[in-house]
Amino acid sequence: MERGRRTTVSTFYLEGALEPGATAELAEAAAHHARVKRLGVGDAIRLGNGAGRLADGTITRVGRASVAVSVGTVHDVAPPTPLALYAPVGDRERMLWLAEKATELAITEWHPVMFQRSRSVSPRGEGEAFAAKVRARMISALEQSDGGWLPTMFREIDVREAAAVQGTHARYLLDAGGGRFDPSPGARGAAVILGPEGGMEPAEREMLIAGGWRPAALAATILRFETAGIAALAIVRAAHTPLAEGTDG
């Protein structure tokens, strides 16, 4: 677990501004969490707004439906190097797991992509209700990992739209027939796309390559999409993030 030398305290997400000296009101879910953690008046916690601010706080009241926190020192967190994940629409639980772990690895964008083989998956993760579940899972992961930035979520797109993505980021298509996956730390960000259960159709692969996505392989074996996604994101983050002292182990 990579926490450096920080003292372990519970972190709660609070949307909106965090200002020193203010009183923050956390909602019912936070109150439940506080009771489960046996937190009470006077206990120190951490607050994060998912937009680059973390704050030290002290609980001043615990109710059944809310928790009041006095906001202390506020810390601004630099945004991570851009890292976009173009995740396949697939099995709901596997997508939720991928979203959670991807948030821990500080992705900056989440783009669900509907592939041809996505349509044969049931139950699959799509629609507004599922997007709300993804966001809730991301918030939980942000709290657990003490992260400063919540990923930006985008609407579902098809492969043609994904192939047309432009920008200065290095773009990697996870593909067993691709070259070695070796992201350059000199790039100004990265984007990773991967196919659904059963893989992408040859025409979809060719469309993405024609659009500038670079095929890259992770292993000699066939990986589940959530395994491939997490492995690739971890490699990119390791290439782009200098480790601070005391983060080993």
Side-chain angles (χ1 to χ4, degrees):
M1 186 176 296
E2 297 191 351
R3 293 185 180 273
R5 298 191 178 96
R6 293 180 182 178
T7 301
T8 301
V9 297
S10 296
T11 300
F12 294 85
Y13 173 77
L14 179 66
E15 190 169 354
L18 286 175
E19 299 297 338
T23 296
E25 287 282 342
L26 304 182
E28 186 173 357
H32 173 73
H33 185 191
R35 289 195 298 270
V36 169
K37 293 281 189 179
R38 297 184 178 180
L39 298 175
V41 174
D43 284 339
I45 65 170
R46 183 173 290 116
L47 301 171
N49 67 357
R53 284 207 142 185
L54 294 173
D56 298 322
T58 304
I59 295 177
T60 58
R61 175 178 51 80
V62 178
R64 290 192 59 83
S66 65
V67 172
V69 180
S70 176
V71 180
T73 304
V74 175
H75 315 273
D76 289 319
V77 180
T81 303
L83 176 53
L85 177 61
Y86 288 75
V89 172
D91 176 80
R92 287 191 294 206
E93 288 305 314
R94 290 164 65 185
M95 285 185 72
L96 288 172
W97 190 89
L98 175 58
E100 175 184 320
K101 302 306 175 185
T103 302
E104 291 180 30
L105 287 165
I107 64 165
T108 55
E109 297 179 9
W110 168 270
H111 300 262
V113 182
M114 182 68 75
F115 290 86
Q116 183 172 331
R117 291 180 182 172
S118 295
R119 303 183 186 281
S120 63
V121 177
S122 180
R124 63 177 175 264
E126 61 179 332
E128 293 184 8
F130 180 74
K133 291 183 179 181
V134 170
R135 187 172 189 274
R137 189 68 68 91
M138 287 179 168
I139 288 173
S140 178
L142 194 74
E143 292 174 335
Q144 184 277 329
S145 62
D146 204 21
W149 292 86
L150 194 66
T152 301
M153 295 177 60
F154 291 83
R155 64 172 179 83
E156 294 157 15
I157 59 175
D158 59 27
V159 180
R160 189 175 302 278
E161 290 174 286
V165 168
Q166 299 295 320
T168 59
H169 299 175
R171 288 174 288 160
Y172 301 100
L173 162 63
L174 299 188
D175 181 79
R180 181 182 179 87
F181 185 56
D182 189 16
S184 169
R188 287 182 285 176
V192 174
I193 191 169
L194 58 151
E197 294 98 322
M200 61 184 70
E201 294 289 343
E204 293 174 325
R205 178 180 181 276
E206 293 306 316
M207 186 184 303
L208 290 167
I209 293 173
W213 290 85
R214 184 190 313 169
L218 289 170
T221 55
I222 297 175
L223 304 178
R224 286 190 167 190
F225 76 79
E226 69 273 28
T227 305
I230 293 304
L233 296 176
I235 292 170
V236 173
R237 272 288 166 244
H240 287 264
T241 305
L243 290 177
E245 288 186 25
T247 58
D248 293 336

